[in-house]
Coordinates of all heavy atoms in Angstrom, one line a residue:
M36 N 6.3 7.0 9.7 CA 5.0 7.5 9.5 C 4.8 7.9 8.0 O 5.6 8.6 7.4 CB 4.8 8.8 10.3 CG 3.3 9.1 10.6 SD 2.4 7.9 11.5 CE 1.4 9.0 12.5
S37 N 3.8 7.3 7.3 CA 3.5 7.6 5.9 C 2.3 8.5 5.9 O 1.2 8.1 6.2 CB 3.3 6.3 5.2 OG 2.8 6.6 3.9
L38 N 2.5 9.7 5.4 CA 1.5 10.7 5.4 C 0.9 10.9 4.0 O -0.1 11.5 3.9 CB 2.0 12.1 5.9 CG 2.4 12.1 7.4 CD1 3.1 13.4 7.7 CD2 1.2 11.9 8.3
V39 N 1.5 10.2 3.0 CA 1.0 10.4 1.7 C 0.1 9.3 1.3 O 0.4 8.1 1.4 CB 2.2 10.4 0.7 CG1 1.7 10.6 -0.7 CG2 3.1 11.5 1.1
Q40 N -1.2 9.6 0.9 CA -2.1 8.6 0.5 C -1.6 8.0 -0.9 O -1.3 8.8 -1.8 CB -3.5 9.1 0.3 CG -4.5 8.2 -0.2 CD -4.7 7.0 0.6 OE1 -5.0 7.1 1.8 NE2 -4.5 5.8 0.1
R41 N -1.6 6.7 -1.1 CA -1.2 6.2 -2.3 C -2.4 5.6 -3.0 O -3.4 5.2 -2.4 CB -0.1 5.2 -2.1 CG 1.1 5.9 -1.5 CD 2.3 5.1 -1.5 NE 2.1 3.8 -0.9 CZ 2.9 2.7 -1.2 NH1 3.9 2.9 -2.1 NH2 2.7 1.6 -0.6
Y42 N -2.3 5.6 -4.4 CA -3.5 5.2 -5.2 C -3.1 4.1 -6.1 O -1.9 4.0 -6.6 CB -4.0 6.3 -6.0 CG -4.7 7.4 -5.1 CD1 -3.9 8.4 -4.5 CD2 -6.0 7.4 -4.9 CE1 -4.4 9.3 -3.7 CE2 -6.6 8.4 -4.1 CZ -5.8 9.4 -3.5 OH -6.3 10.3 -2.7
R43 N -4.0 3.2 -6.5 CA -3.8 2.2 -7.5 C -4.2 2.8 -8.9 O -5.4 3.3 -9.0 CB -4.7 1.0 -7.2 CG -4.5 -0.2 -8.1 CD -5.4 -1.3 -7.7 NE -5.1 -1.8 -6.4 CZ -4.1 -2.6 -6.1 NH1 -3.4 -3.1 -7.1 NH2 -3.9 -3.0 -4.9
L44 N -3.3 2.9 -9.8 CA -3.6 3.4 -11.1 C -3.5 2.3 -12.2 O -2.7 1.4 -12.1 CB -2.5 4.5 -11.5 CG -2.7 5.9 -10.9 CD1 -2.6 5.9 -9.4 CD2 -1.6 6.8 -11.5
R45 N -4.4 2.4 -13.1 CA -4.4 1.3 -14.1 C -4.6 1.9 -15.5 O -5.3 2.9 -15.7 CB -5.6 0.4 -13.8 CG -5.6 -0.9 -14.6 CD -6.8 -1.8 -14.2 NE -6.7 -2.3 -12.9 CZ -7.7 -2.6 -12.1 NH1 -8.9 -2.5 -12.5 NH2 -7.6 -3.0 -10.9
T46 N -4.0 1.2 -16.5 CA -4.1 1.6 -17.9 C -5.2 0.8 -18.5 O -5.6 -0.2 -17.9 CB -2.9 1.5 -18.7 OG1 -2.6 0.1 -18.8 CG2 -1.7 2.2 -18.1
R47 N -5.6 1.1 -19.8 CA -6.6 0.3 -20.4 C -6.2 -1.2 -20.7 O -7.0 -2.1 -20.7 CB -7.0 0.9 -21.8 CG -8.3 1.8 -21.7 CD -8.6 2.3 -23.0 NE -7.5 3.1 -23.6 CZ -7.4 3.5 -24.8 NH1 -8.4 3.3 -25.6 NH2 -6.4 4.2 -25.2
S48 N -4.9 -1.4 -20.8 CA -4.4 -2.7 -21.0 C -4.0 -3.4 -19.7 O -3.3 -4.4 -19.6 CB -3.2 -2.7 -21.9 OG -2.2 -1.9 -21.5
D49 N -4.6 -2.8 -18.6 CA -4.5 -3.5 -17.3 C -3.1 -3.5 -16.6 O -2.8 -4.3 -15.8 CB -5.0 -4.9 -17.3 CG -6.5 -5.0 -17.0 OD1 -7.1 -3.9 -16.6 OD2 -7.1 -6.0 -17.2
R50 N -2.3 -2.5 -17.0 CA -1.0 -2.4 -16.3 C -1.3 -1.5 -15.1 O -2.0 -0.5 -15.2 CB 0.1 -1.7 -17.2 CG 0.5 -2.7 -18.3 CD 1.3 -1.9 -19.4 NE 2.4 -1.2 -18.8 CZ 3.6 -1.8 -18.6 NH1 3.8 -3.0 -19.0 NH2 4.6 -1.0 -18.1
E51 N -0.7 -1.9 -14.0 CA -1.0 -1.2 -12.7 C 0.3 -0.6 -12.1 O 1.3 -1.2 -12.1 CB -1.7 -2.1 -11.7 CG -3.1 -2.4 -12.0 CD -3.8 -3.0 -10.8 OE1 -3.1 -3.4 -9.8 OE2 -5.0 -3.2 -10.9
V52 N 0.1 0.5 -11.4 CA 1.1 1.0 -10.6 C 0.5 1.5 -9.3 O -0.7 1.8 -9.3 CB 2.0 2.2 -11.2 CG1 2.8 1.7 -12.3 CG2 1.1 3.3 -11.6
I53 N 1.3 1.6 -8.2 CA 0.8 2.1 -7.0 C 1.7 3.3 -6.6 O 2.9 3.1 -6.5 CB 0.7 1.1 -5.9 CG1 -0.3 0.0 -6.2 CG2 0.5 1.7 -4.5 CD1 -0.3 -1.2 -5.3
R54 N 1.1 4.5 -6.5 CA 1.9 5.7 -6.2 C 1.0 6.8 -5.7 O -0.2 6.7 -5.8 CB 2.6 6.1 -7.5 CG 1.6 6.3 -8.7 CD 2.2 7.2 -9.7 NE 2.7 8.4 -9.1 CZ 3.8 9.1 -9.5 NH1 4.5 8.7 -10.5 NH2 4.1 10.2 -8.9
P55 N 1.7 7.8 -5.1 CA 0.9 9.0 -4.7 C 0.5 9.7 -6.0 O 1.3 9.7 -6.9 CB 1.8 9.8 -3.8 CG 3.1 9.0 -3.7 CD 3.1 7.9 -4.7
V56 N -0.6 10.5 -6.0 CA -0.9 11.2 -7.2 C -1.2 12.7 -6.7 O -1.6 13.0 -5.6 CB -2.2 10.7 -7.9 CG1 -1.9 9.3 -8.4 CG2 -3.4 10.7 -7.0
E57 N -0.9 13.6 -7.7 CA -1.2 15.0 -7.5 C -2.4 15.3 -8.2 O -2.5 14.9 -9.4 CB 0.0 15.9 -7.9 CG 1.2 15.8 -7.1 CD 2.4 16.3 -7.8 OE1 2.3 17.3 -8.6 OE2 3.5 15.8 -7.6
P58 N -3.3 16.1 -7.7 CA -4.6 16.4 -8.4 C -4.3 17.1 -9.7 O -3.4 18.0 -9.7 CB -5.3 17.3 -7.4 CG -4.6 17.3 -6.1 CD -3.3 16.7 -6.3
G59 N -5.0 16.8 -10.7 CA -4.9 17.5 -12.0 C -3.7 17.0 -12.8 O -3.6 17.4 -14.0
R60 N -2.9 16.2 -12.3 CA -1.7 15.7 -13.1 C -2.1 14.4 -13.8 O -2.8 13.6 -13.3 CB -0.6 15.5 -12.1 CG 0.7 15.1 -12.9 CD 1.9 15.3 -12.1 NE 3.0 14.6 -12.8 CZ 4.2 14.3 -12.2 NH1 4.4 14.6 -11.0 NH2 5.1 13.7 -12.9
V61 N -1.6 14.3 -15.0 CA -1.8 13.1 -15.8 C -0.6 12.2 -15.8 O 0.5 12.6 -16.0 CB -2.1 13.5 -17.3 CG1 -2.2 12.2 -18.2 CG2 -3.4 14.3 -17.4
Y62 N -0.9 10.9 -15.5 CA 0.2 9.9 -15.4 C 0.2 9.0 -16.6 O -0.9 8.5 -16.9 CB 0.1 9.1 -14.1 CG 0.3 10.0 -12.9 CD1 -0.8 10.7 -12.3 CD2 1.6 10.3 -12.4 CE1 -0.5 11.5 -11.2 CE2 1.8 11.1 -11.4 CZ 0.7 11.8 -10.7 OH 1.0 12.6 -9.7
V63 N 1.3 8.8 -17.2 CA 1.4 8.0 -18.4 C 2.3 6.9 -18.2 O 3.4 7.1 -17.7 CB 1.8 8.9 -19.6 CG1 2.0 8.1 -20.9 CG2 0.8 10.0 -19.9
D64 N 1.9 5.7 -18.7 CA 2.8 4.5 -18.7 C 4.0 4.7 -19.6 O 3.8 4.9 -20.8 CB 2.0 3.3 -19.0 CG 2.8 2.0 -18.9 OD1 4.0 2.1 -18.9 OD2 2.2 1.0 -18.7
R65 N 5.2 4.7 -19.1 CA 6.4 5.0 -19.9 C 6.5 4.0 -21.0 O 7.1 4.2 -22.1 CB 7.6 5.0 -19.0 CG 8.2 6.4 -19.0 CD 9.4 6.4 -18.0 NE 8.9 6.5 -16.6 CZ 9.7 6.2 -15.5 NH1 10.9 5.7 -15.7 NH2 9.2 6.3 -14.3
E66 N 6.1 2.7 -20.8 CA 6.3 1.7 -21.8 C 5.3 1.7 -22.9 O 5.6 1.4 -24.1 CB 6.4 0.3 -21.1 CG 7.7 0.1 -20.4 CD 7.9 -1.3 -19.8 OE1 7.3 -2.2 -20.4 OE2 8.5 -1.4 -18.8
T67 N 4.0 1.9 -22.5 CA 2.9 1.8 -23.5 C 2.4 3.1 -24.0 O 1.7 3.2 -25.0 CB 1.8 1.0 -23.0 OG1 1.2 1.7 -21.9 CG2 2.2 -0.4 -22.5
G68 N 2.7 4.2 -23.2 CA 2.2 5.5 -23.6 C 0.8 5.7 -23.2 O 0.2 6.8 -23.6
E69 N 0.2 4.8 -22.5 CA -1.2 4.9 -22.2 C -1.4 5.7 -20.9 O -0.5 5.7 -20.0 CB -1.8 3.5 -21.9 CG -1.9 2.6 -23.1 CD -2.4 1.2 -22.7 OE1 -1.7 0.6 -21.9 OE2 -3.4 0.8 -23.1
E70 N -2.5 6.4 -20.8 CA -2.8 7.2 -19.6 C -3.3 6.3 -18.5 O -4.0 5.3 -18.7 CB -3.9 8.2 -19.9 CG -3.4 9.6 -20.0 CD -4.5 10.6 -20.3 OE1 -5.5 10.5 -19.6 OE2 -4.4 11.3 -21.3
F71 N -2.8 6.5 -17.3 CA -3.3 5.8 -16.1 C -4.5 6.5 -15.6 O -4.7 7.7 -15.6 CB -2.2 5.9 -15.0 CG -1.1 4.9 -15.2 CD1 0.2 5.3 -15.5 CD2 -1.3 3.5 -15.0 CE1 1.2 4.4 -15.6 CE2 -0.3 2.6 -15.2 CZ 1.0 3.1 -15.4
E72 N -5.4 5.6 -15.1 CA -6.7 6.1 -14.5 C -6.6 5.6 -13.0 O -6.2 4.5 -12.8 CB -7.8 5.4 -15.2 CG -9.0 6.2 -15.5 CD -10.1 5.4 -16.2 OE1 -9.9 5.2 -17.4 OE2 -11.0 5.0 -15.5
V73 N -7.0 6.5 -12.1 CA -7.0 6.1 -10.7 C -8.2 5.2 -10.5 O -9.3 5.5 -10.8 CB -7.1 7.4 -9.8 CG1 -7.3 7.0 -8.4 CG2 -6.0 8.3 -10.0
V74 N -7.9 4.0 -10.0 CA -9.0 3.0 -9.8 C -9.3 2.8 -8.3 O -10.3 2.2 -7.9 CB -8.7 1.7 -10.5 CG1 -8.8 1.9 -12.0 CG2 -7.4 1.1 -10.1
G75 N -8.4 3.3 -7.4 CA -8.7 3.1 -6.0 C -7.6 3.6 -5.1 O -6.5 3.8 -5.5
K76 N -8.0 3.8 -3.8 CA -7.0 4.1 -2.8 C -6.4 2.8 -2.3 O -7.1 1.8 -2.3 CB -7.7 4.8 -1.6 CG -8.0 6.3 -1.8 CD -8.5 6.9 -0.6 CE -9.0 8.3 -0.8 NZ -9.5 8.9 0.4
V77 N -5.2 2.9 -1.9 CA -4.5 1.7 -1.4 C -4.6 1.8 0.2 O -4.2 2.8 0.8 CB -3.0 1.7 -1.8 CG1 -2.3 0.5 -1.2 CG2 -3.0 1.6 -3.3
L78 N -5.1 0.7 0.7 CA -5.1 0.6 2.2 C -3.7 0.3 2.7 O -3.0 -0.4 2.1 CB -6.1 -0.5 2.6 CG -7.6 -0.2 2.3 CD1 -8.4 -1.4 2.7 CD2 -8.0 1.0 3.1
P79 N -3.3 0.7 3.9 CA -4.0 1.5 4.8 C -4.1 3.0 4.4 O -3.1 3.5 3.7 CB -3.2 1.4 6.1 CG -1.8 1.1 5.6 CD -2.0 0.3 4.4
L80 N -5.1 3.7 4.7 CA -5.3 5.1 4.3 C -4.3 5.9 5.1 O -4.0 5.6 6.2 CB -6.7 5.5 4.6 CG -7.8 4.7 3.9 CD1 -9.2 5.3 4.3 CD2 -7.7 4.8 2.4
A81 N -3.8 7.0 4.4 CA -2.9 7.9 5.1 C -3.7 8.7 6.2 O -4.9 8.9 6.0 CB -2.3 8.8 4.1
P82 N -3.2 9.1 7.3 CA -1.8 8.8 7.7 C -1.7 7.4 8.3 O -2.6 7.0 9.0 CB -1.6 9.8 8.8 CG -2.9 10.2 9.4 CD -3.9 10.0 8.2
S83 N -0.7 6.7 8.1 CA -0.5 5.4 8.6 C 1.0 5.2 9.0 O 1.9 5.8 8.4 CB -0.8 4.4 7.5 OG -0.3 3.1 7.8
V84 N 1.2 4.2 9.9 CA 2.6 4.0 10.3 C 3.3 3.1 9.3 O 4.5 2.9 9.3 CB 2.6 3.3 11.7 CG1 2.2 4.3 12.8 CG2 1.7 2.0 11.7
S85 N 2.5 2.5 8.4 CA 3.0 1.5 7.4 C 3.1 2.2 6.0 O 2.2 2.9 5.6 CB 2.2 0.2 7.4 OG 2.7 -0.6 6.3
K86 N 4.1 1.8 5.2 CA 4.2 2.3 3.8 C 3.8 1.2 2.9 O 3.7 1.4 1.7 CB 5.6 2.7 3.5 CG 6.0 4.1 4.1 CD 7.2 4.6 3.5 CE 8.5 3.9 3.9 NZ 8.9 4.0 5.3
L87 N 3.4 0.0 3.4 CA 3.1 -1.1 2.5 C 1.7 -1.1 2.2 O 0.8 -0.8 3.0 CB 3.5 -2.4 3.2 CG 5.0 -2.6 3.6 CD1 5.2 -3.8 4.4 CD2 5.8 -2.7 2.3
P88 N 1.3 -1.5 1.0 CA -0.1 -1.7 0.6 C -0.7 -2.9 1.5 O 0.1 -3.8 1.9 CB -0.1 -2.2 -0.8 CG 1.3 -1.8 -1.3 CD 2.2 -1.8 -0.2
W89 N -2.0 -2.8 1.8 CA -2.6 -3.8 2.7 C -2.9 -5.0 1.8 O -4.0 -5.3 1.3 CB -3.9 -3.2 3.2 CG -4.5 -4.0 4.3 CD1 -5.5 -4.9 4.3 CD2 -4.2 -3.9 5.7 NE1 -5.8 -5.4 5.5 CE2 -5.0 -4.8 6.4 CE3 -3.3 -3.1 6.5 CZ2 -4.9 -5.0 7.8 CZ3 -3.2 -3.3 7.8 CH2 -4.0 -4.2 8.5
A90 N -1.8 -5.9 1.7 CA -1.9 -7.1 0.9 C -1.3 -8.2 1.6 O -0.5 -8.0 2.5 CB -1.2 -6.9 -0.5
V91 N -1.8 -9.4 1.3 CA -1.4 -10.6 2.1 C 0.1 -10.7 2.3 O 0.6 -11.0 3.3 CB -1.9 -11.9 1.4 CG1 -1.4 -13.1 2.1 CG2 -3.4 -11.9 1.3
E92 N 0.9 -10.4 1.2 CA 2.3 -10.6 1.3 C 3.0 -9.6 2.2 O 4.1 -9.8 2.6 CB 3.0 -10.6 -0.1 CG 2.8 -9.3 -0.9 CD 1.6 -9.3 -1.8 OE1 0.6 -10.0 -1.4 OE2 1.6 -8.5 -2.8
N93 N 2.3 -8.6 2.5 CA 2.9 -7.5 3.4 C 2.3 -7.6 4.8 O 2.6 -6.7 5.6 CB 2.6 -6.1 2.9 CG 3.2 -5.9 1.5 OD1 4.3 -6.5 1.2 ND2 2.6 -5.2 0.6
L94 N 1.5 -8.6 5.1 CA 0.9 -8.7 6.4 C 1.4 -9.9 7.2 O 1.8 -10.9 6.6 CB -0.6 -8.8 6.3 CG -1.3 -7.6 5.6 CD1 -2.8 -7.8 5.4 CD2 -1.2 -6.3 6.5
R95 N 1.3 -9.8 8.5 CA 1.5 -11.0 9.3 C 0.6 -11.0 10.5 O 0.1 -9.9 10.9 CB 3.0 -11.1 9.8 CG 3.4 -9.9 10.6 CD 4.8 -10.1 11.1 NE 5.4 -8.9 11.7 CZ 6.4 -9.0 12.6 NH1 6.9 -10.2 13.0 NH2 6.9 -7.9 13.0
L96 N 0.5 -12.1 11.2 CA -0.3 -12.2 12.4 C 0.4 -11.6 13.6 O 1.6 -11.8 13.8 CB -0.7 -13.6 12.7 CG -1.8 -14.2 11.9 CD1 -1.9 -15.7 12.1 CD2 -3.2 -13.5 12.2
C97 N -0.3 -10.8 14.3 CA 0.3 -10.1 15.5 C 0.7 -11.2 16.5 O 1.7 -11.0 17.2 CB -0.7 -9.1 16.1 SG -0.6 -8.9 17.8
G98 N -0.1 -12.2 16.7 CA 0.2 -13.2 17.7 C -0.5 -13.1 19.0 O -0.4 -13.9 19.9
C99 N -1.3 -12.0 19.1 CA -2.1 -11.8 20.4 C -3.4 -12.6 20.2 O -3.7 -13.1 19.2 CB -2.3 -10.4 20.7 SG -3.5 -9.6 19.6
S100 N -4.2 -12.6 21.2 CA -5.5 -13.3 21.2 C -6.5 -12.8 20.2 O -7.4 -13.5 19.8 CB -6.1 -13.3 22.6 OG -6.3 -12.0 23.0
L101 N -6.3 -11.5 19.8 CA -7.2 -10.9 18.8 C -7.0 -11.5 17.4 O -7.8 -11.4 16.5 CB -7.0 -9.4 18.7 CG -7.3 -8.7 20.1 CD1 -6.9 -7.2 20.0 CD2 -8.8 -8.8 20.5
E102 N -5.8 -12.1 17.2 CA -5.4 -12.7 15.9 C -5.6 -11.7 14.7 O -6.2 -12.1 13.7 CB -6.2 -14.0 15.7 CG -5.7 -15.0 16.7 CD -6.3 -16.4 16.4 OE1 -7.2 -16.5 15.5 OE2 -5.7 -17.4 16.9
Q103 N -5.2 -10.5 14.9 CA -5.3 -9.5 13.8 C -4.1 -9.5 12.9 O -3.0 -9.8 13.4 CB -5.5 -8.1 14.5 CG -6.8 -8.0 15.2 CD -8.0 -8.2 14.3 OE1 -8.1 -7.6 13.3 NE2 -8.8 -9.1 14.7
L104 N -4.3 -9.1 11.7 CA -3.1 -8.9 10.8 C -2.6 -7.5 10.9 O -3.3 -6.5 11.1 CB -3.6 -9.1 9.3 CG -4.0 -10.5 9.0 CD1 -4.7 -10.6 7.6 CD2 -2.8 -11.4 8.9
T105 N -1.3 -7.4 10.8 CA -0.6 -6.1 10.9 C 0.5 -6.1 9.9 O 1.0 -7.1 9.5 CB -0.1 -6.0 12.4 OG1 0.3 -4.6 12.6 CG2 1.1 -6.8 12.6
P106 N 0.8 -4.9 9.3 CA 1.8 -4.8 8.3 C 3.2 -5.2 8.8 O 3.5 -5.1 10.0 CB 1.8 -3.3 7.9 CG 0.5 -2.8 8.4 CD 0.1 -3.6 9.6
K107 N 4.0 -5.7 7.9 CA 5.3 -6.3 8.3 C 6.3 -5.2 8.6 O 7.3 -5.5 9.2 CB 5.8 -7.2 7.2 CG 5.2 -8.5 7.1 CD 5.8 -9.3 5.9 CE 5.1 -10.7 5.9 NZ 5.5 -11.4 4.6
D108 N 6.0 -4.0 8.2 CA 7.1 -2.9 8.4 C 6.8 -2.0 9.6 O 7.4 -0.9 9.7 CB 7.2 -2.1 7.1 CG 5.9 -1.2 6.8 OD1 4.9 -1.6 7.3 OD2 6.0 -0.2 6.1
V109 N 6.0 -2.5 10.5 CA 5.8 -1.7 11.7 C 6.3 -2.5 12.9 O 6.5 -3.7 12.9 CB 4.3 -1.4 12.0 CG1 3.7 -0.6 10.8 CG2 3.5 -2.6 12.2
N110 N 6.7 -1.7 14.0 CA 7.3 -2.4 15.2 C 6.2 -2.8 16.1 O 6.4 -3.7 16.9 CB 8.2 -1.4 15.9 CG 9.4 -1.1 15.1 OD1 9.9 -2.0 14.4 ND2 9.9 0.1 15.1
D111 N 5.0 -2.1 16.1 CA 4.0 -2.5 17.0 C 2.7 -2.8 16.3 O 2.4 -2.2 15.3 CB 3.7 -1.3 18.0 CG 4.9 -0.9 18.7 OD1 5.5 -1.7 19.5 OD2 5.4 0.3 18.5
C112 N 2.0 -3.8 16.7 CA 0.7 -4.2 16.1 C -0.2 -3.0 16.0 O -0.4 -2.2 16.9 CB 0.0 -5.3 16.9 SG -1.6 -5.7 16.4
V113 N -0.8 -2.8 14.8 CA -1.7 -1.7 14.6 C -3.0 -1.8 15.3 O -3.8 -0.8 15.4 CB -1.9 -1.4 13.0 CG1 -0.6 -1.0 12.4 CG2 -2.5 -2.6 12.3
T114 N -3.4 -3.0 15.7 CA -4.6 -3.2 16.4 C -4.5 -3.1 17.9 O -5.2 -2.4 18.6 CB -5.2 -4.6 16.1 OG1 -5.3 -4.7 14.7 CG2 -6.6 -4.8 16.7
C115 N -3.5 -3.9 18.5 CA -3.4 -3.9 20.0 C -2.2 -3.2 20.5 O -2.1 -3.0 21.7 CB -3.4 -5.4 20.4 SG -1.9 -6.3 20.0
G116 N -1.3 -2.8 19.6 CA -0.1 -2.0 20.1 C 1.0 -2.9 20.7 O 2.0 -2.4 21.2
R117 N 0.8 -4.2 20.6 CA 1.8 -5.2 21.1 C 3.1 -5.0 20.3 O 3.1 -4.9 19.1 CB 1.3 -6.6 21.0 CG 2.2 -7.7 21.4 CD 1.4 -9.0 21.2 NE 2.3 -10.2 21.4 CZ 3.0 -10.8 20.4 NH1 2.9 -10.4 19.2 NH2 3.7 -11.9 20.7
R118 N 4.3 -5.0 21.0 CA 5.5 -5.0 20.3 C 5.7 -6.3 19.6 O 5.6 -7.4 20.1 CB 6.7 -4.8 21.4 CG 8.1 -4.8 20.9 CD 8.4 -3.9 19.7 NE 8.0 -2.5 19.9 CZ 8.9 -1.5 19.9 NH1 10.2 -1.8 19.7 NH2 8.5 -0.3 20.0
L119 N 6.0 -6.2 18.3 CA 6.1 -7.4 17.4 C 7.6 -7.9 17.4 O 8.5 -7.1 17.4 CB 5.7 -7.1 16.0 CG 4.2 -6.7 15.9 CD1 3.9 -6.0 14.6 CD2 3.3 -7.9 16.0
P120 N 7.7 -9.2 17.4 CA 9.1 -9.8 17.2 C 9.7 -9.4 15.9 O 8.9 -9.2 14.9 CB 8.9 -11.3 17.4 CG 7.4 -11.5 17.0 CD 6.7 -10.3 17.4
A121 N 11.0 -9.4 15.7 CA 11.6 -9.1 14.4 C 11.2 -10.1 13.4 O 11.0 -11.3 13.7 CB 13.1 -9.1 14.6
V122 N 11.0 -9.6 12.1 CA 10.6 -10.5 11.0 C 11.8 -11.3 10.7 O 12.9 -10.8 10.5 CB 10.2 -9.7 9.8 CG1 9.8 -10.6 8.7 CG2 9.0 -8.7 10.2
E123 N 11.6 -12.6 10.5 CA 12.7 -13.5 10.1 C 12.9 -13.3 8.6 O 12.0 -13.3 7.8 CB 12.3 -15.0 10.4 CG 12.4 -15.3 11.9 CD 11.8 -16.7 12.1 OE1 12.1 -17.6 11.3 OE2 11.2 -16.9 13.1
Q124 N 14.2 -13.2 8.3 CA 14.5 -13.0 6.9 C 14.6 -14.3 6.1 O 15.2 -15.2 6.5 CB 15.8 -12.2 6.8 CG 15.8 -10.8 7.4 CD 14.8 -9.9 6.9 OE1 14.5 -9.9 5.7 NE2 14.2 -9.0 7.7
Ligands
ZN161 ZN1 -2.2 -7.3 18.0

């Protein structure tokens, strides 16, 4: 269970990180020294059973008739609750 909401942070030169943020804290890019700006929340929103950002490379089809996408790091489909087969490595 992932209870921490993660955010997409971006610098002026378009470097991005995804991480949890604490209110009032300033995050600086270690390589460029630029300040990160929060540009969005990363789906799925906390609390979620998945720790992966909601992106194509982290999703797979559940395989049920609903044909919903579900994160690769969960055991049960987040839409229908169906037990998912193990991910092939
Ligand atoms: Zn499903």
